[in-house]
């Protein structure tokens, strides 16, 4: 019997994966900080992502484990939040490593969240898994620590894959909704200089890529991004065009920093140039349904 476990699967990405996999697995278990219950045949099991409380038994005989746990980076980088961002990723990964090693029949394949933010700010070079250059700042160091916590424990019976995912664009969650609302209010111009690259992926391609990685038993680091990073100014212009809004007021770096302070987030999320490409997915024959931003916007808005 095929069994899928999604740790921290109640958020936007978890629901994207549940919708995709619900007919492909006989059993789906979501590890959640909420109450244990069963809804529509999906089992929700309480965990605190730090120690064993009984949830670990669910990993026995699982086909696939996907870990999405980690505090959202959409917050102010205060000392307290920085600590939570780091620890929520490290602790959940470490306790899952212990749980996997304790299993008689551990999950065959474990896919752990990571981030395309691991590569340096780049206007000049496309970053792939083979020769992408890792940078050095808070977000990058979190990503490095996260992947280290994942890979340093060897799990002989369980394949391991780190998903270096970019911004996932979806109809019901993620970054797309606030960007769409900004554009509708007339603030859909370039953000900052506008020359920074946006690495993105459509929610359907994200789910299809995860499915593809499982089927092909791909391991190691994989960039889960669309093949076409796009400059922020072009991204916003195409979004305005698809929405049918004639103009967009640009927001300069200074205003972005003030605005992000008031909405309790960080301007870095918009200003960093993520110029990342999915070399390994393409080399293995993965086909994107929404490879261009025009196609993605058409689908998400109509």
């Amino acid at each position: 019997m095929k069994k899928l476990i999604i740790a921290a699967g109640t958020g936007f990405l978890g629901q994207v994966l549940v919708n995709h996999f619900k007919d492909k697995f006989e059993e789906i278990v979501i590890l959640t900080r909420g109450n244990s219950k069963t809804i529509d045949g999906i089992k929700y099991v309480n965990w605190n992502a730090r120690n064993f409380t009984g949830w670990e038994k669910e990993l026995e005989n699982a086909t696939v484990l996907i870990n999405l746990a980690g505090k959202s980076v959409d917050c102010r980088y205060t000392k307290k939040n920085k600590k939570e961002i780091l620890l929520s990723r490290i602790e959940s990964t470490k306790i899952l490593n212990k749980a996997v090693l304790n299993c008689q029949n551990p999950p065959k394949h474990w896919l752990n969240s990571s981030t395309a933010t691991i590569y340096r700010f780049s206007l000049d070079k496309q970053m792939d898994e083979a020769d992408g250059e890792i940078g050095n700042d808070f977000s990058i160091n979190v990503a490095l620590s996260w992947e280290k916590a994942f890979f340093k424990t060897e799990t002989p019976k369980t394949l391991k894959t780190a998903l270096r995912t970019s911004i996932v664009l979806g109809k019901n969650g993620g970054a797309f909704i606030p960007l769409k609302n900004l554009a509708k209010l007339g603030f859909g111009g370039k953000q900052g200089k506008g020359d920074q690259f946006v690495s993105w992926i459509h929610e359907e391609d994200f789910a299809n890529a995860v499915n593809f990685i499982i089927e092909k038993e791909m391991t190691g680091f994989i960039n889960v991004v669309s093949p076409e990073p796009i400059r922020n100014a072009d991204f916003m212009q195409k979004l305005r065009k698809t929405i049918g809004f004639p103009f967009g007021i640009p927001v300069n770096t200074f205003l972005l920093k003030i605005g992000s302070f008031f909405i309790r987030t960080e301007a870095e999320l918009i200003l960093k140039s993520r110029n990342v490409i999915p070399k390994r997915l393409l080399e293995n024959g993965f086909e994107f349904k929404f490879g261009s931003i025009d196609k993605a916007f058409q689908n998400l808005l109509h």
Side-chain angles (χ1 to χ4, degrees):
M1 189 170 92
K2 288 177 75 180
K3 180 180 184 182
L4 170 66
I5 311 255
I6 305 177
T10 55
F12 162 57
L13 285 187
Q15 292 312 295
V16 168
L17 293 176
V18 167
N19 287 333
H20 180 85
F21 285 115
K22 61 178 187 263
D23 300 325
K24 294 179 170 66
F25 287 85
E26 284 90 342
E27 190 180 355
I28 294 181
V29 178
I30 308 282
L31 301 182
T32 171
R33 290 179 185 275
N35 296 330
S36 298
K37 58 194 172 197
T38 302
I39 302 174
D40 297 333
I42 292 165
K43 189 175 174 185
Y44 294 80
V45 175
N46 176 265
W47 81 321
N48 64 6
R50 279 197 303 275
N51 41 42
F52 295 151
T53 53
W55 58 265
E56 64 279 5
K57 298 185 189 82
E58 295 295 340
L59 270 59
E60 283 292 350
N61 302 307
T63 318
V64 177
L65 164 63
I66 301 173
N67 176 28
L68 304 172
K71 177 180 166 64
S72 170
V73 293
D74 187 7
C75 61
R76 291 301 289 171
Y77 288 173
T78 60
K79 202 171 173 183
K80 179 174 176 282
N81 283 342
K82 278 182 165 181
K83 188 179 173 187
E84 270 183 46
I85 286 168
L86 179 65
L87 286 182
S88 61
R89 285 159 175 73
I90 305 297
E91 287 179 344
S92 59
T93 303
K94 279 185 174 173
I95 197 70
L96 284 169
N97 261 318
K98 277 188 187 168
V100 166
L101 287 177
N102 286 346
C103 285
Q104 291 291 310
N105 295 298
K108 292 182 178 66
H109 197 163
W110 173 5
L111 294 83
N112 210 54
S113 276
S114 183
T115 171
T117 294
I118 201 163
Y119 302 105
R120 69 164 170 84
F121 180 104
S122 175
L123 298 171
D124 57 320
K125 173 182 171 174
Q126 291 193 324
M127 302 293 174
D128 62 40
E129 298 92 342
D131 59 1
E133 294 163 16
I134 308 294
N136 179 22
D137 62 23
F138 167 69
S139 301
I140 290 167
N141 292 330
V142 166
L144 284 168
S145 303
W146 196 6
E147 288 189 358
K148 188 180 171 189
F150 180 48
F151 285 114
K152 82 171 178 189
T153 301
E154 287 185 23
T155 52
K157 297 180 186 173
T158 303
L159 301 175
K160 281 182 162 177
T161 311
L163 306 172
R164 290 180 172 173
T165 307
S166 59
I167 295 165
V168 180
L169 303 176
K171 289 182 183 179
N172 301 315
F176 182 66
I177 293 170
L179 287 170
K180 177 180 72 176
N181 293 339
L182 269 180
K184 284 181 175 173
L185 290 169
F187 291 97
K190 68 178 184 183
Q191 295 159 323
K193 288 182 181 172
D195 62 347
Q196 71 273 28
F197 281 95
V198 181
S199 276
W200 59 277
I201 189 167
H202 187 287
E203 59 184 345
E204 221 175 296
D205 280 331
F206 169 75
N208 286 335
V210 169
N211 195 20
F212 182 85
I213 289 162
I214 293 165
E215 281 181 1
K216 292 270 186 184
E217 297 188 342
M218 294 172 72
T219 58
F221 317 111
I222 301 178
N223 293 340
V224 186
V225 299
S226 82
E228 294 182 15
I230 181 170
R231 292 195 188 268
N232 172 274
D234 299 328
F235 181 96
M236 296 308 290
Q237 185 265 327
K238 287 174 185 288
L239 179 58
R240 291 197 307 273
K241 188 180 166 192
T242 315
I243 286 172
F245 211 86
F247 68 90
I249 298 166
V251 184
N252 67 32
T253 303
F254 177 69
L255 285 175
L256 259 181
K257 286 184 174 171
I258 290 177
S260 59
F261 175 79
F262 282 108
I263 61 168
R264 313 309 297 155
T265 188
E266 287 290 331
E268 177 213 321
L269 300 177
I270 289 170
L271 295 175
K272 177 166 179 179
S273 187
R274 296 172 180 83
N275 193 1
V276 183
I277 54 167
K279 185 179 182 184
R280 289 193 61 201
L281 282 174
L282 293 172
E283 280 178 350
N284 280 273
F286 180 72
E287 290 178 12
F288 285 83
K289 190 172 173 184
F290 303 99
S292 74
I293 201 72
D294 296 301
K295 259 187 170 177
F297 283 159
Q298 281 296 331
N299 174 266
L300 292 168
L301 287 160
H302 301 300

